[in-house]
Amino acid sequence: MEKALVDKLKKTYFPVLNSMDDWVRIVDPSGETIYINQTLSEAKEKSKELEIYLNENLPLNLSSENEAIRDTTVVEEKLISDRYYSIKASPIFMDDIYTGIVEVFRDITRETMMKIELFDANRSMLDDIRFVRKVQSSILPKDKIYGNIDLSGIYIPSANVSGDLYDIVKIDDDKYAFYIADVMGHGVKASIMTMFIKVSVFSIFDKHPDFSPSEALLRLRKRFYELEMDSSQYFTSWLGIFDFKENTLTYSNAGHNCPPMIFKNHNSECAYLHGNGRMISNIIEPDVYNEINIKLKNDDKILFFTDGAIEATNEDKKEYGLARLEESFCKHKELKKVYEDIEEFTWGEQQDDITLAMISYKEN
């Protein structure tokens, strides 16, 4: 760099650069450092590592043979003397003449350490969530035959963990309870609530095998209320008891707005297993859940689902809907094909948990 240009820089810019807390150095086109500001000079005197760095490292855009890169501002992050710096290297043009590079070193150690801590925390949280998801998946019943019930299920959480749950509980050799539940919200909180529901329902029927569906839901609501949560929380549930001796299903509904569908094999008719009842909540008073009893015949099929299945949307933001689900179920009568129909309809990211379960009944 010509002496006249150096003198011009000194006269015009150096007082400003010397007043900066950031480190500043100017390198001429040959790679020679022709200026460092006062802050960098003081730091260099205290750190041999910094001095070595400055001697051995040229700005990326200066060392590039590509003119387009050379004439572009380059930003990179480096660890120097155990601290993190954002280094911004910009070309200097004076009277349209390329005269070198000015580098500004900004200490970003605090911000970087916060990012590292946040990354580590997020990674730890993701590990925990994956563990919870694995546990949650393992608590769902296996696809197999339970007495006169042939059960299969599909569980697709929208995030890493879900607020959906279905389960089957053996009461005795001739009676099994089946329920499906949908907890408000998503994530770890909702997932933990599903585990509470599972443990509670099993315990209720273990201690009270004579309970009807309504009694079981009322006792579940009582246990939920005893948690004494500070914030409003709720879940919905449909619960039924299969009696193999009588070939009947008695059920109650606690606010579950996705009534199961039944396909009656003997007349090829589809119907909904409706039931009235409030959701289970820590702020809503307990309800009296009505009970409905129906007869079951050989190869009758029941489809259970949560709202994620019918609220799946296509590219036009139209929901899959209850009518499509009913049509698919009554047509295919196979869980896999029902899910494939939902999957084919859906476009974009899954917004809600999708849980489907199907029971095929074998009459005594």
Side-chain angles (χ1 to χ4, degrees):
M1 182 181 289
E2 297 179 5
K3 185 175 184 304
L5 293 177
V6 175
D7 292 341
K8 187 174 181 180
L9 280 172
K10 285 182 178 179
K11 181 178 179 181
T12 309
Y13 300 110
F14 286 2
V16 175
L17 299 181
N18 280 325
S19 67
M20 293 175 61
D21 291 330
D22 295 334
W23 298 344
V24 180
R25 78 163 170 173
I26 296 176
V27 182
D28 70 13
S30 68
E32 180 183 351
T33 298
I34 62 169
Y35 169 77
I36 60 173
N37 71 345
Q38 186 173 341
T39 309
L40 178 56
S41 177
E42 293 173 355
K44 182 181 174 184
E45 291 176 2
K46 298 177 182 178
S47 172
K48 187 69 176 177
E49 186 178 345
L50 174 58
E51 183 177 356
I52 294 172
Y53 173 87
L54 294 174
N55 291 335
E56 296 182 351
N57 290 271
L58 293 175
L60 288 177
N61 42 357
L62 180 67
S63 57
S64 174
E65 296 180 0
N66 188 320
E67 187 173 332
I69 296 176
R70 189 201 67 177
D71 296 348
T72 303
T73 296
V74 175
V75 180
E76 58 180 329
E77 293 184 6
K78 288 286 186 71
L79 180 64
I80 307 172
S81 300
D82 297 323
R83 297 193 69 82
Y84 293 93
Y85 291 87
S86 172
I87 306 172
K88 186 174 184 179
S90 302
I92 301 174
F93 289 89
M94 300 189 68
D95 299 326
D96 295 328
I97 299 174
Y98 177 71
T99 55
I101 297 289
V102 57
E103 274 188 312
V104 179
F105 297 71
R106 175 156 293 178
D107 191 334
I108 57 169
T109 304
R110 182 178 179 184
E111 295 93 324
T112 303
M113 294 306 297
M114 288 177 65
K115 289 179 182 177
I116 293 173
E117 290 172 6
L118 183 60
F119 174 81
D120 289 341
N122 285 339
R123 183 172 60 182
S124 176
M125 185 180 299
L126 285 174
D127 289 342
D128 290 345
I129 288 174
R130 291 189 186 101
F131 175 78
V132 171
R133 179 174 183 172
K134 188 174 182 180
V135 171
Q136 187 178 28
S137 298
S138 71
I139 70 173
L140 295 175
K142 305 299 182 184
D143 291 1
K144 67 177 189 176
I145 295 175
Y146 301 82
N148 292 24
I149 293 171
D150 188 354
L151 174 65
S152 58
I154 292 176
Y155 164 77
I156 312 291
S158 60
N160 284 300
V161 288
S162 165
D164 288 358
L165 170 71
Y166 65 91
D167 198 14
I168 189 166
V169 179
K170 181 178 180 180
I171 300 174
D172 60 40
D173 288 342
D174 296 313
K175 285 186 179 180
Y176 278 76
F178 179 89
Y179 65 92
I180 187 166
D182 188 354
V183 180
M184 178 193 72
H186 307 281
V188 175
K189 183 178 178 181
S191 174
I192 291 175
M193 187 56 61
T194 63
M195 296 179 193
F196 161 80
I197 295 169
K198 179 181 174 69
V199 171
S200 296
V201 173
F202 179 84
S203 174
I204 288 168
F205 281 113
D206 184 53
K207 294 180 179 178
H208 306 279
D210 58 332
F211 265 14
S212 68
S214 177
E215 290 171 323
L217 288 174
L218 285 170
R219 183 57 60 92
L220 179 59
R221 193 269 175 195
K222 182 176 184 293
R223 291 193 174 193
F224 180 65
Y225 183 78
E226 288 172 350
L227 292 176
E228 297 183 345
M229 294 185 178
D230 294 333
S231 59
S232 172
Q233 183 73 24
Y234 69 86
F235 63 90
T236 67
S237 182
W238 184 102
L239 187 149
I241 296 177
F242 291 85
D243 187 326
F244 302 152
K245 280 186 177 180
E246 301 296 329
N247 289 313
T248 60
L249 168 62
T250 304
Y251 65 88
S252 294
N253 187 8
H256 194 63
N257 63 350
C258 298
M261 300 178 191
I262 183 169
F263 174 81
K264 294 183 175 295
N265 185 59
H266 70 285
N267 60 8
S268 298
E269 289 185 356
C270 278
Y272 291 96
L273 301 182
H274 287 291
N276 296 323
R278 295 174 183 166
M279 66 186 71
I280 295 176
S281 169
N282 59 340
I283 61 172
I284 297 176
E285 290 301 315
D287 201 358
V288 176
Y289 300 105
N290 68 319
E291 294 180 352
I292 301 170
N293 181 276
I294 63 171
K295 277 283 187 180
L296 296 174
K297 293 187 178 296
N298 197 49
D299 285 334
D300 283 351
K301 299 180 187 299
I302 305 174
L303 177 68
F304 302 89
F305 58 99
T306 57
D307 53 12
I310 57 176
E311 292 176 359
T313 57
N314 63 10
E315 57 186 345
D316 297 322
K317 303 300 181 183
K318 291 182 179 180
E319 292 188 348
Y320 183 75
L322 199 57
R324 283 191 181 88
L325 184 64
E326 180 183 358
E327 180 182 357
S328 179
F329 169 57
C330 295
K331 176 183 176 182
H332 300 300
K333 298 174 284 294
E334 290 183 25
L335 189 63
K336 183 180 179 181
K337 289 184 178 180
V338 170
Y339 175 67
E340 286 175 352
D341 194 45
I342 296 172
E343 192 176 33
E344 185 178 344
F345 175 88
T346 305
W347 183 85
E349 185 178 353
Q350 181 182 328
Q351 298 298 316
D352 199 359
D353 309 321
I354 295 178
T355 301
L356 300 163
M358 184 178 292
I359 283 178
S360 295
Y361 187 78
K362 303 301 178 183
E363 186 179 6
N364 276 336

